[in-house]
Every structure is written in C-alpha cells, then in structure tokens.
Amino acid sequence: MPELPEVEIVRQSLDKKIKQKSIKKVIIRNKNLRVPLPKNFSSFLMNKKIIKVDRFSKYLILNFKSGEFCLIHLGMSGTIHIIDIKKKLKFTNASFYHSPILPKKHNHIELIFNSLKVIYNDPRRFGFFELVENSEKLENRFKNLGPEPFNLNFNLNYVFNYFEGKNKNIKTFLLDQKFVSGIGNIYASEILFLSKIYPFKKASLLTREDCKKIIYYSKKILLRAIKKGGSSIRDFKDTLGSSGNYQKEFKVYQQEGLRCKTIGCTDTIQKKIVSNRSTFFCNSCQN
C-alpha cells in the first residue's frame, strides 16, 4: 500500500497537471470499489473546477472552486494515470505500485479535462472515492485520525501521554492511524531501527527520550522519502519516467538475512510476521 511519501508524490503530480482545470466528462466503468460510488458521482464532479490538490495522511483531496471536495484513497493496489490527449506519453503512472504504463484492465474511472484525462486503475478494488459537501464535513471526516508526523500536534507531550498505560507494542501504534496518520509498514520498520527501539516493546515502557527519537525520525525519514520520490518496491516510474529512490536507503525493510548496516554491528536483520504484517529489525541494535 502506498504510504504518505508515495501519496504525496501523486498529489504533486496531480496538482501540477489538473490545478485550475475543470472536469468536462466523467466515465465510470466499474462503480464497485471498496465503497460503491455514490449515485450522484458523475453529476457532482461535472464542470467542477479544481483549485488545488491537497493530501491528508494517505488521502488525496481534490479541492473544488465550489467549496466541495472529492477524496481519493488508493487502497492496496490503486494507481492514477495521467494521459495527455494531445501528446502520447510513454509513462503515465503518477502513483506508486505496478506498471508505469497504463494497464489494459481495471481502469474503473476516468476524469476527462480539455487536454488530458486522469484514470483510476485498481486490480483489487480496495481504493475508493468519497464526495464531501463542505469544509466542515471534511474536517469532521478526519476527526478520528491522529496528526501527521509533520504536524505540530505530533509532539513529545502528545506521544508520551498517548502511550501511558498502553500494552500494545510500539510497531502496532505506528501503524495505527488513530495515533499518527500516514505511516505504514515500510517506514514504521525504518523509524524504529534508527530510533534503536525494539518493535515489540510495550508502548507504556517507552521513555521520553524514546518518544523524542520516534518523533524526530518519523519526520526525517518521511521527508527524505518524499525528496527521493518515494520507495519503488517494484518497477515504478512516474509520468516523467523517474523512479522512487528511497528503497536504496532501506536499513531493515526487506533486508532479512543481510548484515546490519550499523557500523560495528555483526548481527543480521530479522523478520517476524505479526498480524499478517512483516516487521524487520536488528536484535542487537534495537532493544
């Protein structure tokens, strides 16, 4: 699943291409996504002018001049392809996983503008679109989600107090969007490795210093990943033909059996499956 950095790359691509443009036509080939499209989906979007494309956590937000919004969540396998109607592009994928070229199957939704179209492709159909009528409802939509790592509310008092009395392990909390929004499995393993914190340690046992490290490395790693264009776990290239490069900097994720990259450490990276999620760590460096 694309995590915050990868969704941010999609946001940047979309904002550059469709900002200040109006939707001229909507084509629905399959309305049955994770949540079926509302009956008024096409009429809601028709002739709407997009003033900007925002993001919160792993959600893309189309901001319309009318004051309404459309949320897009890519789910596990959703990708967005930008097609230039006048100029044939070799690479169309503005997203993260899968082919850089528009697939022939599973193109469920098309938003057509004057000179380009945006196509939503999703083989597993775990993604969804959601229509929001105003800013108050948008704010209410995200009220149960935690702050993003970049938000000022993701601070020492918030993190340390949140963990008080909590017996779940810290890895579980980093994946819990009610605690912090946008971190997924890849970056959670990397954050805990650099913080030198054992992923299965109870959150209530973390010190204030531990919490400082988690805050610091959450920001540092996600910002670095955005700068590097995200992590291309597979053969991802964006609309410019560029690959995400952060995977070249992985310390533990998908490094099982390899020697730990910490200077002086002779241990190897281990992997454990917890709740059907892979966790990568160094037993010597993280305690």
Side-chain angles (χ1 to χ4, degrees):
M1 176 186 288
E3 301 182 24
L4 186 155
E6 291 75 47
V7 178
E8 174 60 20
I9 300 305
V10 181
R11 184 205 68 78
Q12 292 174 11
S13 297
L14 281 174
D15 192 61
K16 182 178 180 180
K17 294 289 186 178
I18 65 176
K19 183 169 63 176
Q20 301 303 323
K21 289 182 170 62
S22 297
I23 300 171
K24 299 301 182 181
K25 187 177 180 180
V26 179
I27 297 175
I28 301 171
R29 291 199 169 85
N30 191 340
K31 66 178 182 179
N32 296 313
L33 304 180
R34 187 201 308 181
V35 179
L37 293 177
K39 292 181 179 180
N40 67 330
F41 184 76
S42 294
S43 60
F44 184 96
L45 296 180
M46 277 293 293
N47 297 314
K48 287 284 197 304
K49 185 175 183 178
I50 297 168
I51 56 173
K52 64 177 177 176
V53 181
D54 276 335
R55 178 196 55 73
F56 178 76
S57 182
K58 303 174 186 179
Y59 292 84
L60 294 164
I61 308 171
L62 304 184
N63 289 247
F64 298 118
K65 188 177 180 180
S66 62
E68 297 162 306
F69 306 88
C70 178
L71 307 184
I72 305 172
H73 195 287
L74 299 174
M76 295 292 291
S77 60
T79 53
I80 288 177
H81 293 259
I82 301 173
I83 310 296
D84 192 318
I85 294 172
K86 298 179 181 178
K87 179 183 176 184
K88 189 173 182 180
L89 299 173
K90 182 178 180 182
F91 300 112
T92 61
N93 194 345
S95 192
F96 175 44
Y97 287 110
H98 304 307
S99 171
I101 301 166
L102 179 67
K104 294 181 179 179
K105 296 181 179 180
H106 312 298
N107 295 316
H108 304 309
I109 297 168
E110 292 188 22
L111 305 181
I112 300 175
F113 301 81
N114 278 333
S115 59
L116 58 85
K117 55 185 177 180
V118 171
I119 298 177
Y120 178 73
N121 179 282
D122 191 350
R124 300 178 71 180
R125 289 187 287 133
F126 285 167
F128 60 89
F129 287 65
E130 186 174 333
L131 306 177
V132 182
E133 296 173 352
N134 53 56
S135 56
E136 183 179 346
K137 289 186 177 180
L138 181 68
E139 184 177 345
N140 189 59
R141 174 63 177 79
F142 295 129
K143 71 176 183 179
N144 293 323
L145 296 181
E148 289 192 344
F150 309 131
N151 193 291
L152 293 176
N153 291 327
F154 190 65
N155 54 43
L156 181 57
N157 284 337
Y158 169 76
V159 173
F160 186 74
N161 292 334
Y162 195 98
F163 289 157
E164 186 177 1
K166 302 289 199 311
N167 288 322
K168 289 183 181 179
N169 65 64
I170 179 55
K171 171 72 185 303
T172 297
F173 276 108
L174 287 183
L175 298 180
D176 185 350
Q177 303 301 297
K178 292 180 180 179
F179 165 60
V180 59
S181 292
I183 296 175
N185 204 38
I186 295 172
Y187 298 107
S189 287
E190 295 294 304
I191 289 164
L192 290 173
F193 174 76
L194 290 178
S195 300
K196 298 190 181 300
I197 296 172
Y198 186 61
F200 307 110
K201 188 173 184 177
K202 288 184 179 179
S204 59
L205 299 179
L206 295 176
T207 65
R208 294 181 75 87
E209 191 60 34
D210 289 333
C211 294
K212 282 182 183 179
K213 291 178 182 177
I214 288 171
I215 294 166
Y216 174 78
Y217 285 112
S218 294
K219 298 179 195 295
K220 182 175 182 177
I221 288 173
L222 294 180
L223 284 172
R224 178 70 175 168
I226 291 170
K227 184 177 180 180
K228 286 287 186 176
S231 300
S232 294
I233 304 303
R234 301 175 192 163
D235 294 330
F236 164 72
K237 293 182 186 295
D238 65 12
T239 52
L240 299 176
S242 302
S243 299
N245 285 309
Y246 190 74
Q247 74 279 0
K248 296 175 183 176
E249 300 186 15
F250 285 165
K251 307 296 184 190
V252 289
Y253 189 78
Q254 291 191 336
Q255 306 295 303
E256 179 189 11
L258 298 179
R259 183 169 172 172
C260 177
K261 295 180 180 179
T262 301
I263 296 174
C265 182
T266 58
D267 210 340
T268 56
I269 302 304
Q270 297 184 35
K271 179 175 86 169
K272 283 188 179 180
I273 305 295
V274 179
S275 301
N276 295 319
R277 305 302 297 274
S278 300
T279 296
F280 300 86
F281 60 98
C282 173
N283 219 23
S284 296
C285 294
Q286 295 171 256
N287 48 56

